[in-house]
Amino acid sequence: MSDFVAVFLWFCNFLLLFGFTDSIPLCTETNFCNTYGGSKCFDGEKVVLNKCDTRFPSRGLCLEKIGNGSYLNMVAHPDGSDRAFFANQAGKIWLATIPEQGLGGTLGLDESSPFMDLTDQVHFHNSFGLMGLAFHPNFTRNGRFFASFNCDRIKTPGCSGKCSCNSDVNCDPLKLAASSSSSGSVQPCRYYKLIAEFTANGTASDISMATRAKPSEVRRIFSLGLPIAFNHGGQILFGPADGYLYAMLGDGGIEEDIYNFSQNKKSLLGKILRLDIDNMPSESGIVDQWGSYSIPQDNPFSEDNELQPEIWARGLRNPWRCSFDSQRPLYFICADAGQDEYEEVDIITKGGNYGWNVYEGPFLFNSSHSSAISTDLIFPVLGYKHSDVNNNVSASICGGYFYRSMTDPCLYGSYLYGDLYGSAIWSAVENPTNSGNFTTTLLPFSCAHDSPIQCKYVPESSLPDLRYIYSFGEDNRKEIYVLANNGVYRVVRPSRCNYTCPKEIVTVVSSQISSSSSCRFNHFSYSNGELMLLLSSLLHVLGTIL
């Protein structure tokens, strides 16, 4: 042991003598050296690298409940703070403060004071509503953000545009059967999918501190009349590597996609679109038939001139929750809801064709359309049959995120996703990295015994009663959230649910300090900030002297 480490441990013992047991997670030689490393820990033995590459599978997912609200969207504040925007399907958006883990706090959100209220513009019913929310990468400077929602052209002024069922795609709206709703028969293209731009400019001297935004549109980015009342996706995301806006559209909801929208290269239904909203053609008086945006020059139409230029990928049924891996900004993953048998997860690539409606996942669905489809289909990397989940009571897949927090080190790098019915969450490990070869595990999940808000449970079960999983969220610390019908849940340390992860370092409230080693340390909450500042200063001084 070096003199440096010896002095450090002496200081730890001094602190322990005075009862600061909760504040020093590193007071063993092993933990100190695993954390700081370097020559001060070298004792003459052979150096072994990559010693901690062993992957420990997660034993379970531990959740804490921090909010009671039901939300469809969560977006981390672009300023990197501990705040996030939450939006419900009815059309309200809130700015919330996220509490520190382990301190018993709940979501700081005032239901009576939304950031923006679009309820008078949004048509909210079943699969309609405020479906997507995205903030411009430069929001803190330009105040721009975007909402994807549905409107009713009969009830809402300004709800208009071109119908997705038109002669370009061999669809006649007059022959398209009306769909049913609670209010009776609904004619084709009564409802529209809109993407609109809004601004927080003028509401605060510093845009990052804005707590309200104006509910009036700055610009109509996109407008599309929907054939019937189902399967229209609606999520929007900015690509972290390219800054373009990605919009996810379902096939329009006609059973079996009998009009072949998803495969039709001239239809925007059943597609992922990629739009440039920073270079607006409307500023020169030119507006596209679908809205106001320009086309990135490297979109796939440059290689396939039969494609509508907005299209990035096709052959999807109803993409429900996509994400970019925060460690690999080009790695784009989407869950796509099935119809009869199979729910799937796809890695989205430029110009990719994901097979619907000829295939549902890996299974042939409609051989009559096989002649109209290319042979270079991309099949799912993950998925499950409805019959595989809880005695055939699966409803629809909900895509999640690659887990990049060290709160649960055994989950690090895994892709988390779930089922709408709220009783199944999976963890998928890719090996080797970037291969698309995943091994998936159905995770047991529990609610922490010290959850800030007490969890309710499924009758005669230890399973938390989420009821429905609507979406997943990720904050600026890369912590993952489950947005459920019964509230907001955060993934926390596995030990809080009595799950075991060998990589987790737990602070024990006693005179004993955990000495288990780890490559990377879990997040700790310290009860004495001044103490940690003193310790940091001492380490700096010792490093200079020794």
Side-chain angles (χ1 to χ4, degrees), residues 303-324:
E303 300 167 4
D304 184 349
N305 57 18
E306 294 182 2
L307 279 175
Q308 281 290 103
E310 296 88 349
I311 295 172
W312 183 253
R314 62 191 173 109
L316 297 148
R317 181 175 178 269
N318 192 31
W320 189 252
R321 289 349 198 194
C322 306
S323 63
F324 290 90

Side-chain angles (χ1 to χ4, degrees), residues 399-526:
Y401 291 84
F402 282 97
Y403 187 82
R404 295 300 182 184
S405 166
M406 285 306 295
T407 294
D408 186 340
C410 288
L411 281 177
Y412 186 84
S414 301
Y415 176 72
L416 297 180
Y417 62 104
D419 187 84
L420 172 66
Y421 274 14
S423 59
I425 297 176
W426 290 267
S427 166
V429 176
E430 186 181 24
N431 189 21
T433 302
N434 299 324
S435 67
N437 180 32
F438 287 84
T439 301
T440 187
T441 302
L442 182 62
L443 285 176
F445 62 94
S446 300
C447 191
H449 63 87
D450 56 351
S451 176
I453 299 175
Q454 187 175 4
C455 294
K456 295 181 180 179
Y457 293 86
V458 176
E460 300 180 2
S461 169
S462 61
L463 198 67
D465 185 11
L466 306 181
R467 194 173 183 188
Y468 300 115
I469 295 177
Y470 291 148
S471 191
F472 287 82
E474 182 182 51
D475 68 16
N476 283 315
R477 295 184 178 183
K478 309 308 175 190
E479 305 291 358
I480 299 299
Y481 299 76
V482 179
L483 307 186
N485 175 261
N486 282 343
V488 178
Y489 299 79
R490 174 167 55 184
V491 177
V492 295
R493 293 187 289 106
S495 59
R496 290 178 61 186
C497 292
N498 295 323
Y499 294 131
T500 301
C501 172
K503 288 186 177 183
E504 182 187 1
I505 300 297
V506 181
T507 303
V508 181
V509 184
S510 70
S511 59
Q512 299 294 320
I513 299 298
S514 172
S515 61
S516 58
S517 62
S518 171
C519 296
R520 305 177 73 163
F521 277 85
N522 200 352
H523 173 74
F524 289 90
S525 295
Y526 299 104

Side-chain angles (χ1 to χ4, degrees), residues 76-223:
H77 200 294
D79 69 353
S81 68
D82 61 349
R83 296 178 297 162
F85 294 93
F86 290 81
N88 68 7
Q89 193 173 343
K92 289 185 178 181
I93 303 167
W94 291 271
L95 177 57
T97 301
I98 298 172
E100 283 274 359
Q101 285 201 36
L103 300 183
T106 60
L107 201 62
L109 185 151
D110 183 357
E111 289 276 355
S112 66
S113 182
F115 178 77
M116 190 170 74
D117 186 350
L118 295 176
T119 51
D120 61 341
Q121 303 177 48
V122 172
H123 174 66
F124 170 43
H125 182 261
N126 290 341
S127 61
F128 287 122
L130 176 56
M131 312 303 284
L133 184 65
F135 286 75
H136 194 280
N138 293 323
F139 171 77
T140 57
R141 294 194 295 273
N142 61 31
R144 301 173 69 193
F145 66 101
F146 302 81
S148 168
F149 59 96
N150 302 111
C151 65
D152 181 343
R153 65 179 172 85
I154 294 178
K155 297 181 179 179
T156 308
C159 182
S160 62
K162 187 176 180 179
C163 184
S164 58
C165 176
N166 56 63
S167 58
D168 294 342
V169 295
N170 300 316
C171 180
D172 184 352
L174 298 178
K175 296 180 180 180
L176 193 62
S179 58
S180 60
S181 73
S182 59
S183 57
S185 180
V186 177
Q187 294 301 314
C189 290
R190 171 175 172 175
Y191 302 118
Y192 279 74
K193 171 187 170 56
L194 305 181
I195 301 175
E197 179 179 339
F198 299 88
T199 183
N201 284 333
T203 61
S205 57
D206 180 353
I207 296 175
S208 291
M209 295 296 104
T211 58
R212 288 185 180 277
K214 303 169 185 176
S216 54
E217 289 186 32
V218 173
R219 181 185 280 108
R220 178 69 53 82
I221 300 295
F222 182 81
S223 177

